[in-house]
Amino acid sequence: MTLEPREALQPALDIATETAARILTAESESGQLLVRMGSVSMPLLSALESLLFVADAPVEAEELARVLNAPVEVVERQVRALGELYREQHRGLRIAERNGRFQMVSAPEAGELVEAFLNLDTTTRLSAPALETLAIIAYRQPVTRAQIEAVRGVDCSGVLRSLLQRGLIEEIDRLDAPGRPVRYGVTDLFLQHFGLTSLQELPPLEPQEAEQIDAAMGATPKDAPTP
C-alpha cells in the first residue's frame, strides 16, 4: 500500500537540476511529490519511510534533504505527515522528533510486547531514585546536579553517573556561574525508553508539584524551563 500525505503539497518546487541524480517533482494528476532516480520513481513519503527505517540513529532533516535533493522544509513537513499517519491509523510505529532529528520507533503501547519479544532482562529496570531524577531532568532541563539534589534532598552523584552510563541523560552545557557546573538533559534514548516522540508528550505536572520543584530549585514559575 502506498502511503499518502495528509495534504497535497504545492508542486511549485524549483529544485530539479539537469545533473541531479534524484529529482523531486509533482505528479500532475494528484499533486503527490515523487522522488526520481534514473528510471525509478516513488512517493517522497515512501522514500522518507525507507530512509528512517534503515537509519540506526536519529537523523537530521538536513541529511534527509541532502540525500533526496529536496528542500529541508518539505522534508520536515512530510516526515511529520508520516508520523501523523502512523498515529491516525494506530500503527505499530511512530516518528520521534527531537532537536530537528527524526527516528522511527515502536509505538509506546507495544512496549511490553517488544520487551517480551527481545527477552529484555527485567533486572535492568530503573530504580525509584533513578526515575525520580529522570523526571526532574525531563521536566526542568537543563538542570545542574545541585538543583536536582535540592529537589530530592539527597546526594545524586551515583544516580547521575548510572543514568549517563545508560545513555538516558547527557551533559548539555555548563552553567555560567562559579565552578561552571554541568547542566544535564535527557537523550533520544530516554524518549525511546518511555515511548515518547517528544518531551511535549510528558503528562503535565500538578500545579502544587511544579511549585515545589521550582521552589526547591530556586526558580519562579516564570523562570522555570519547560520541556
Side-chain angles (χ1 to χ4, degrees):
M1 180 182 71
T2 301
L3 296 175
E4 300 289 342
R6 296 184 64 197
E7 57 181 0
L9 300 180
Q10 295 299 322
L13 298 171
D14 185 20
I15 63 171
T17 65
E18 293 182 357
T19 58
R22 301 163 184 80
I23 303 177
L24 191 64
T25 61
E27 197 174 51
S28 58
E29 294 183 0
S30 65
Q32 184 182 48
L33 291 175
L34 300 176
V35 174
R36 290 181 180 172
M37 187 172 183
S39 60
V40 179
S41 65
M42 67 185 303
L44 174 60
L45 205 65
S46 298
L48 287 167
E49 186 176 35
S50 297
L51 294 178
L52 290 170
F53 177 78
V54 299
D56 58 2
V59 185
E60 293 184 350
E62 289 78 5
E63 177 65 12
L64 294 171
R66 183 189 65 78
V67 172
L68 296 168
N69 192 37
V72 175
E73 61 272 17
V74 173
V75 168
E76 289 179 336
R77 188 159 62 245
Q78 288 281 278
V79 172
R80 292 182 181 122
L82 180 62
E84 286 299 315
L85 184 67
Y86 285 166
R87 287 179 179 277
E88 291 175 356
Q89 296 184 354
H90 305 288
R91 305 281 284 274
L93 298 172
R94 295 289 185 271
I95 303 298
E97 177 182 357
R98 181 169 179 264
N99 297 332
R101 293 179 293 173
F102 299 93
Q103 185 174 27
M104 185 178 290
V105 299
S106 59
E109 53 267 31
E112 292 186 9
L113 289 173
V114 172
E115 185 175 287
F117 180 74
L118 296 177
N119 294 318
L120 296 181
D121 187 354
T122 56
T123 61
T124 63
R125 293 184 183 277
L126 295 168
S127 65
L131 289 172
E132 185 178 350
T133 301
L134 270 177
I136 296 169
I137 297 174
Y139 279 101
R140 290 295 181 263
Q141 69 174 33
V143 294
T144 65
R145 170 184 159 186
Q147 290 175 316
I148 297 170
E149 292 176 346
V151 177
R152 296 196 60 227
V154 296
D155 180 85
C156 296
S157 56
V159 173
L160 288 173
R161 184 164 53 251
S162 175
L163 293 175
L164 283 168
Q165 291 173 346
R166 287 172 176 258
L168 295 173
I169 64 172
E170 62 186 350
E171 297 181 0
I172 294 181
D173 56 21
R174 289 183 176 272
L175 187 65
D176 188 14
R180 294 185 56 79
V182 172
R183 297 201 298 179
Y184 299 96
V186 296
T187 64
D188 294 318
L189 185 59
F190 165 87
L191 296 177
Q192 294 180 43
H193 187 89
F194 290 95
L196 303 171
T197 58
S198 74
L199 291 179
Q200 302 301 323
E201 295 182 359
L202 286 170
L205 290 172
E206 293 293 333
Q208 183 178 1
E209 188 176 15
E211 290 177 3
Q212 291 175 346
I213 292 176
D214 295 335
M217 292 175 58
T220 64
K222 179 180 179 180
D223 298 328
T226 56

